[in-house]
Coordinates of all heavy atoms in Angstrom, one line a residue:
M1 N -139.6 225.9 188.8 CA -139.6 227.1 188.1 C -139.3 228.3 189.0 O -139.9 228.3 190.1 CB -140.9 227.4 187.3 CG -140.9 228.6 186.4 SD -142.3 228.6 185.4 CE -142.2 230.2 184.8
A2 N -138.5 229.3 188.6 CA -138.2 230.4 189.5 C -139.4 231.3 189.6 O -140.2 231.3 188.8 CB -137.0 231.1 188.9
D3 N -139.4 232.0 190.7 CA -140.4 233.0 190.9 C -140.3 234.2 190.0 O -141.1 234.9 189.6 CB -140.4 233.6 192.3 CG -140.8 232.5 193.4 OD1 -141.5 231.5 193.0 OD2 -140.6 232.7 194.5
V4 N -139.0 234.5 189.6 CA -138.7 235.6 188.7 C -138.0 235.1 187.5 O -137.1 234.2 187.5 CB -137.8 236.6 189.4 CG1 -137.4 237.7 188.4 CG2 -138.4 237.2 190.6
E5 N -138.5 235.6 186.4 CA -137.9 235.1 185.0 C -137.5 236.3 184.2 O -138.3 237.3 184.1 CB -139.0 234.3 184.2 CG -138.5 233.7 183.0 CD -139.5 232.8 182.3 OE1 -139.9 231.9 182.9 OE2 -140.0 233.1 181.2
I6 N -136.4 236.2 183.6 CA -135.9 237.3 182.8 C -135.7 236.8 181.4 O -135.0 235.8 181.2 CB -134.5 237.9 183.3 CG1 -134.8 238.4 184.8 CG2 -134.1 239.1 182.4 CD1 -133.5 238.8 185.5
T7 N -136.3 237.4 180.4 CA -136.2 237.0 179.0 C -135.5 238.1 178.2 O -135.9 239.3 178.3 CB -137.6 236.7 178.4 OG1 -138.3 235.7 179.2 CG2 -137.5 236.2 177.0
I8 N -134.5 237.7 177.5 CA -133.8 238.7 176.7 C -134.4 238.7 175.3 O -134.4 237.7 174.6 CB -132.3 238.3 176.6 CG1 -131.7 238.1 178.0 CG2 -131.5 239.3 175.7 CD1 -130.3 237.5 178.0
R9 N -135.0 239.8 175.0 CA -135.5 240.0 173.6 C -134.4 240.3 172.6 O -133.5 241.2 172.9 CB -136.5 241.1 173.6 CG -137.8 240.8 174.4 CD -138.8 240.3 173.5 NE -140.1 240.0 174.2 CZ -141.1 240.8 174.5 NH1 -141.0 242.0 174.1 NH2 -142.1 240.3 175.2
P10 N -134.3 239.6 171.5 CA -133.1 239.8 170.6 C -132.9 241.2 170.1 O -131.8 241.6 170.0 CB -133.4 238.8 169.4 CG -134.4 237.9 170.0 CD -135.2 238.6 171.1
T11 N -134.0 241.9 169.9 CA -133.8 243.3 169.4 C -134.5 244.3 170.4 O -134.9 245.4 169.9 CB -134.3 243.5 168.1 OG1 -135.8 243.1 168.0 CG2 -133.6 242.5 167.0
G12 N -134.6 243.9 171.6 CA -135.4 244.8 172.5 C -134.9 244.6 174.0 O -133.8 244.3 174.2
P13 N -135.9 244.8 174.8 CA -135.7 244.9 176.3 C -135.4 243.6 177.0 O -135.6 242.5 176.4 CB -136.9 245.6 176.9 CG -138.0 245.1 176.0 CD -137.4 244.9 174.6
Y14 N -135.0 243.7 178.2 CA -135.1 242.6 179.3 C -136.5 242.6 179.6 O -136.9 243.6 180.2 CB -134.1 242.7 180.4 CG -132.7 242.7 180.0 CD1 -131.9 243.9 180.1 CD2 -132.0 241.6 179.5 CE1 -130.6 243.9 179.7 CE2 -130.7 241.6 179.2 CZ -130.0 242.7 179.3 OH -128.6 242.8 179.0
V15 N -137.2 241.4 179.6 CA -138.5 241.3 180.1 C -138.5 240.5 181.4 O -138.1 239.3 181.4 CB -139.5 240.7 179.1 CG1 -140.9 240.5 179.6 CG2 -139.4 241.4 177.8
V16 N -138.8 241.2 182.5 CA -138.7 240.7 183.8 C -140.1 240.3 184.3 O -141.0 241.2 184.4 CB -138.0 241.6 184.9 CG1 -137.9 240.9 186.2 CG2 -136.6 242.0 184.2
T17 N -140.4 239.1 184.7 CA -141.7 238.6 185.1 C -141.6 238.1 186.5 O -140.7 237.3 186.7 CB -142.3 237.6 184.1 OG1 -142.3 238.2 182.8 CG2 -143.7 237.2 184.6
G18 N -142.4 238.6 187.4 CA -142.4 238.0 188.7 C -142.3 239.0 189.8 O -142.1 240.3 189.5
P19 N -142.3 238.7 191.0 CA -142.2 239.6 192.1 C -140.8 240.2 192.3 O -139.9 239.4 192.7 CB -142.6 238.8 193.4 CG -142.3 237.4 193.1 CD -142.4 237.3 191.6
I20 N -140.6 241.4 191.9 CA -139.2 242.0 192.0 C -139.3 243.3 192.8 O -140.3 244.0 192.9 CB -138.6 242.3 190.6 CG1 -139.4 243.4 189.9 CG2 -138.4 241.1 189.9 CD1 -138.7 244.0 188.7
V21 N -138.1 243.8 193.3 CA -138.0 245.2 193.8 C -136.9 245.8 192.9 O -135.9 245.3 192.7 CB -137.4 245.1 195.3 CG1 -137.2 246.5 195.7 CG2 -138.5 244.4 196.2
L22 N -137.3 246.9 192.3 CA -136.4 247.6 191.4 C -135.9 248.8 192.1 O -136.7 249.6 192.7 CB -137.2 248.0 190.1 CG -136.4 248.7 189.0 CD1 -135.3 247.8 188.5 CD2 -137.4 249.1 187.9
R23 N -134.6 249.1 192.1 CA -134.1 250.3 192.8 C -133.2 251.1 191.7 O -132.6 250.5 190.9 CB -133.2 249.8 193.9 CG -134.0 249.1 195.0 CD -133.2 248.9 196.3 NE -133.9 248.1 197.2 CZ -134.8 248.6 198.0 NH1 -135.2 249.8 198.0 NH2 -135.4 247.8 198.9
D24 N -133.1 252.4 192.0 CA -132.3 253.3 191.2 C -130.9 253.2 191.7 O -130.6 252.5 192.7 CB -132.9 254.7 191.1 CG -132.9 255.4 192.5 OD1 -132.2 255.0 193.4 OD2 -133.6 256.5 192.6
G25 N -130.0 254.0 191.2 CA -128.6 254.0 191.6 C -128.4 254.4 193.0 O -127.3 254.3 193.5
Q26 N -129.3 255.2 193.6 CA -129.2 255.6 195.0 C -129.8 254.7 195.9 O -129.9 254.9 197.2 CB -129.7 257.0 195.2 CG -128.9 258.1 194.5 CD -129.0 258.1 193.0 OE1 -130.1 258.0 192.4 NE2 -127.8 258.2 192.4
G27 N -130.4 253.6 195.4 CA -131.1 252.7 196.3 C -132.5 252.9 196.6 O -133.2 252.1 197.3
N28 N -133.1 253.9 195.9 CA -134.5 254.2 196.1 C -135.4 253.2 195.2 O -135.1 253.0 194.1 CB -134.8 255.6 195.5 CG -134.0 256.7 196.3 OD1 -134.0 256.7 197.5 ND2 -133.2 257.5 195.6
E29 N -136.4 252.7 195.9 CA -137.3 251.8 195.2 C -138.1 252.5 194.1 O -138.7 253.6 194.4 CB -138.2 251.2 196.2 CG -139.0 250.0 195.5 CD -139.8 249.2 196.6 OE1 -139.4 249.2 197.7 OE2 -140.7 248.5 196.2
I30 N -138.1 251.9 192.9 CA -139.0 252.4 191.9 C -140.2 251.6 191.8 O -140.2 250.3 191.8 CB -138.2 252.2 190.5 CG1 -137.0 253.1 190.6 CG2 -139.1 252.7 189.3 CD1 -136.0 252.8 189.4
D31 N -141.4 252.3 191.9 CA -142.7 251.6 192.0 C -143.1 250.9 190.7 O -143.0 251.5 189.6 CB -143.7 252.6 192.4 CG -145.1 252.0 192.5 OD1 -145.2 250.7 192.7 OD2 -146.1 252.7 192.4
V32 N -143.2 249.6 190.8 CA -143.6 248.8 189.5 C -144.9 248.2 189.7 O -145.3 247.3 189.0 CB -142.5 247.8 189.1 CG1 -141.2 248.5 188.7 CG2 -142.2 246.8 190.3
S33 N -145.6 248.6 190.8 CA -146.9 247.9 191.2 C -147.9 248.1 190.1 O -148.9 247.3 190.0 CB -147.4 248.4 192.6 OG -147.7 249.8 192.4
D34 N -147.8 249.0 189.2 CA -148.9 249.2 188.2 C -148.5 248.6 186.9 O -149.2 248.8 185.9 CB -149.0 250.8 187.9 CG -147.8 251.5 187.4 OD1 -146.7 250.8 187.6 OD2 -147.9 252.5 186.9
R35 N -147.6 247.7 186.9 CA -147.1 247.1 185.6 C -147.5 245.7 185.4 O -147.0 244.9 184.6 CB -145.5 247.2 185.5 CG -145.2 248.7 185.4 CD -143.7 249.0 185.2 NE -143.5 250.4 185.1 CZ -143.4 251.0 183.9 NH1 -143.5 250.3 182.8 NH2 -143.2 252.3 183.9
G36 N -148.4 245.2 186.3 CA -149.1 243.9 186.1 C -148.0 242.7 186.3 O -148.3 241.7 185.7
G37 N -147.0 242.9 187.0 CA -146.1 241.7 187.2 C -145.0 241.5 186.2 O -144.3 240.7 186.2
T38 N -145.0 242.4 185.2 CA -144.1 242.3 184.0 C -143.4 243.7 183.8 O -144.1 244.7 183.7 CB -144.7 241.9 182.8 OG1 -145.2 240.5 182.9 CG2 -143.7 241.8 181.6
V39 N -142.0 243.8 183.9 CA -141.4 244.9 183.7 C -140.4 244.7 182.5 O -139.7 243.8 182.4 CB -140.5 245.3 184.9 CG1 -139.7 246.5 184.7 CG2 -141.5 245.5 186.1
K40 N -140.4 245.7 181.6 CA -139.5 245.7 180.4 C -138.5 246.7 180.7 O -138.7 247.9 180.7 CB -140.3 246.0 179.2 CG -141.3 244.9 178.9 CD -142.1 245.2 177.6 CE -143.2 244.2 177.4 NZ -144.1 244.5 176.3
L41 N -137.2 246.3 180.8 CA -136.1 247.2 181.1 C -135.2 247.4 179.8 O -134.9 246.5 179.1 CB -135.2 246.5 182.2 CG -135.8 246.3 183.5 CD1 -134.8 245.6 184.4 CD2 -136.3 247.6 184.1
C42 N -135.0 248.7 179.6 CA -134.3 249.1 178.3 C -132.8 248.6 178.4 O -132.1 248.7 179.4 CB -134.3 250.7 178.2 SG -133.4 251.3 176.8
R43 N -132.5 248.1 177.3 CA -131.0 247.7 177.2 C -130.4 248.3 175.9 O -129.3 248.1 175.5 CB -130.8 246.2 177.2 CG -131.3 245.4 176.0 CD -131.0 244.0 176.3 NE -131.5 243.2 175.2 CZ -130.7 242.3 174.4 NH1 -129.4 242.2 174.8 NH2 -131.2 241.7 173.4
C44 N -131.2 249.1 175.2 CA -130.6 249.8 173.9 C -130.0 251.2 174.3 O -129.2 251.7 173.5 CB -131.7 250.0 172.9 SG -132.9 251.3 173.2
G45 N -130.4 251.7 175.4 CA -130.0 253.1 175.8 C -130.8 254.2 175.3 O -130.5 255.3 175.6
G46 N -131.8 253.9 174.4 CA -132.5 255.0 173.8 C -133.8 255.4 174.5 O -134.3 256.5 174.1
S47 N -134.2 254.7 175.5 CA -135.5 255.0 176.1 C -135.5 256.4 176.8 O -134.4 256.7 177.5 CB -135.8 254.0 177.2 OG -137.1 254.3 177.8
T48 N -136.6 257.1 176.7 CA -136.7 258.3 177.5 C -137.4 258.1 178.9 O -137.6 259.0 179.6 CB -137.5 259.3 176.7 OG1 -138.8 258.8 176.4 CG2 -136.8 259.7 175.4
T49 N -137.7 256.9 179.1 CA -138.4 256.5 180.4 C -137.5 255.5 181.1 O -138.0 254.6 181.8 CB -139.8 256.0 180.2 OG1 -139.7 254.8 179.3 CG2 -140.6 257.0 179.5
K50 N -136.2 255.6 181.0 CA -135.3 254.6 181.7 C -135.6 254.6 183.2 O -136.0 255.6 183.8 CB -133.8 255.0 181.6 CG -133.3 254.9 180.2 CD -131.9 255.3 180.1 CE -131.4 255.4 178.7 NZ -131.7 256.7 178.0
P51 N -135.6 253.3 183.8 CA -135.0 252.2 183.2 C -135.9 251.4 182.4 O -135.6 250.2 181.9 CB -134.6 251.4 184.5 CG -135.7 251.7 185.5 CD -136.0 253.1 185.2
F52 N -137.1 251.9 182.1 CA -138.1 251.1 181.4 C -138.0 251.3 179.8 O -137.5 252.4 179.4 CB -139.5 251.6 181.8 CG -139.7 251.4 183.2 CD1 -139.8 252.5 184.0 CD2 -139.8 250.2 183.8 CE1 -140.0 252.4 185.5 CE2 -140.0 250.1 185.3 CZ -140.1 251.2 186.0
C53 N -138.3 250.3 179.2 CA -138.3 250.3 177.7 C -139.6 251.2 177.3 O -140.6 251.0 177.8 CB -138.5 248.9 177.2 SG -138.8 248.8 175.4
D54 N -139.4 252.1 176.3 CA -140.5 252.8 175.8 C -140.8 252.6 174.3 O -141.5 253.3 173.6 CB -140.3 254.3 176.0 CG -139.2 254.9 175.2 OD1 -138.5 254.1 174.4 OD2 -139.0 256.2 175.2
G55 N -140.0 251.6 173.7 CA -140.2 251.2 172.4 C -139.3 251.7 171.4 O -139.3 251.5 170.2
T56 N -138.4 252.7 171.9 CA -137.5 253.4 171.1 C -136.5 252.4 170.3 O -136.0 252.7 169.2 CB -136.7 254.4 171.9 OG1 -137.5 255.3 172.5 CG2 -135.6 255.1 171.1
H57 N -136.3 251.3 170.9 CA -135.3 250.3 170.3 C -135.8 249.9 168.9 O -135.0 249.8 168.0 CB -135.3 249.0 171.1 CG -136.6 248.3 171.3 ND1 -137.4 248.5 172.4 CD2 -137.2 247.3 170.6 CE1 -138.6 247.7 172.3 NE2 -138.4 247.0 171.2
S58 N -137.1 250.0 168.6 CA -137.6 249.7 167.2 C -137.2 250.8 166.4 O -136.7 250.7 165.2 CB -139.1 249.5 167.3 OG -139.4 248.3 168.0
A59 N -137.4 252.1 166.8 CA -137.1 253.3 166.0 C -135.7 253.4 165.6 O -135.4 253.9 164.6 CB -137.6 254.5 166.7
I60 N -134.8 253.0 166.5 CA -133.3 253.2 166.3 C -132.7 251.9 165.7 O -131.5 251.9 165.4 CB -132.6 253.6 167.5 CG1 -132.6 252.5 168.6 CG2 -133.2 254.9 168.1 CD1 -131.8 252.8 169.8
G61 N -133.5 250.9 165.5 CA -133.0 249.6 164.9 C -132.1 248.9 165.7 O -131.1 248.3 165.2
F62 N -132.3 248.9 167.1 CA -131.4 248.2 167.9 C -131.3 246.7 167.6 O -132.3 246.0 167.5 CB -131.9 248.3 169.4 CG -131.1 247.6 170.5 CD1 -129.8 247.9 170.7 CD2 -131.7 246.4 171.0 CE1 -129.1 247.2 171.7 CE2 -130.9 245.7 172.0 CZ -129.6 246.1 172.3
M63 N -130.0 246.3 167.5 CA -129.7 244.8 167.4 C -128.6 244.5 168.4 O -127.5 245.1 168.3 CB -129.2 244.5 165.9 CG -130.3 244.8 164.9 SD -131.6 243.5 164.9 CE -130.6 242.1 164.4
A64 N -128.9 243.6 169.2 CA -127.8 243.2 170.2 C -126.7 242.4 169.5 O -126.9 241.7 168.5 CB -128.4 242.3 171.3
A65 N -125.5 242.6 169.8 CA -124.3 241.9 169.2 C -124.5 240.4 169.5 O -124.2 239.6 168.6 CB -123.1 242.5 169.8
T66 N -125.0 240.1 170.6 CA -125.2 238.6 170.9 C -126.3 238.6 171.9 O -126.6 239.5 172.7 CB -123.9 238.0 171.5 OG1 -124.1 236.6 171.8 CG2 -123.5 238.7 172.8
S67 N -127.0 237.4 172.0 CA -128.2 237.3 173.0 C -127.7 237.2 174.4 O -128.3 237.7 175.2 CB -129.1 236.2 172.5 OG -128.3 235.0 172.6
A68 N -126.6 236.6 174.6 CA -126.1 236.3 175.9 C -124.7 235.8 175.9 O -124.4 235.0 175.0 CB -127.0 235.3 176.7
V69 N -123.9 236.3 176.8 CA -122.5 235.7 176.9 C -122.5 234.9 178.2 O -122.8 235.4 179.3 CB -121.4 236.9 177.1 CG1 -120.1 236.3 177.3 CG2 -121.5 237.8 175.8
T70 N -122.3 233.7 178.1 CA -122.4 232.7 179.2 C -121.2 232.7 180.1 O -121.3 232.2 181.2 CB -122.8 231.3 178.7 OG1 -121.7 230.9 177.9 CG2 -124.1 231.3 178.0
K71 N -120.1 233.1 179.6 CA -118.8 233.1 180.5 C -118.0 234.3 180.3 O -117.7 234.7 179.1 CB -118.1 231.8 180.1 CG -116.8 231.6 180.9 CD -116.1 230.3 180.4 CE -114.9 230.0 181.2 NZ -114.2 228.9 180.8
A72 N -117.6 234.9 181.3 CA -116.7 236.1 181.2 C -115.4 235.7 180.8 O -114.9 234.7 181.2 CB -116.6 236.8 182.6
E73 N -114.7 236.6 180.0 CA -113.3 236.2 179.5 C -112.3 237.0 180.3 O -112.5 238.1 180.7 CB -113.3 236.4 178.0 CG -114.2 235.5 177.3 CD -114.0 235.5 175.8 OE1 -113.0 235.9 175.3 OE2 -115.0 235.1 175.1
Ligands
FES1 S1 -134.9 248.4 174.8 FE1 -136.8 249.3 174.4 S2 -136.3 251.4 174.4 FE2 -134.4 250.5 174.8

């Protein structure tokens, strides 16, 4: 089993479990030490606390078109 696991929620965030380093677009580390080893990353675009999920996906009725694309076309 991998040290880091990423689970795609069908109507919500990417749930990342395990020891990670999260960086912003400038390469600055974002502290995730207070998140208990699990980070939920927004993929609906609606969160006001990006890159983290704040639950807005439920309010806006986010539904992913597909759970995962396994091969680029
Ligand atoms: S996935 Fe939860 S707020 Fe975007």
Side-chain angles (χ1 to χ4, degrees):
M1 184 172 169
D3 290 341
V4 176
E5 183 173 302
I6 303 172
T7 302
I8 304 168
R9 294 266 176 87
T11 59
Y14 296 112
V15 180
V16 183
T17 304
I20 64 164
V21 175
L22 182 61
R23 296 191 187 279
D24 67 15
Q26 287 73 47
N28 302 305
E29 186 170 340
I30 300 171
D31 182 18
V32 295
S33 63
D34 63 339
R35 295 181 179 266
T38 297
V39 176
K40 296 176 182 173
L41 299 176
C42 177
R43 71 182 180 120
C44 75
S47 176
T48 59
T49 60
K50 293 181 188 78
F52 305 107
C53 169
D54 68 356
T56 298
H57 60 269
S58 294
I60 65 175
F62 174 70
M63 294 287 293
T66 183
S67 62
V69 176
T70 56
K71 183 178 179 183
E73 295 187 24

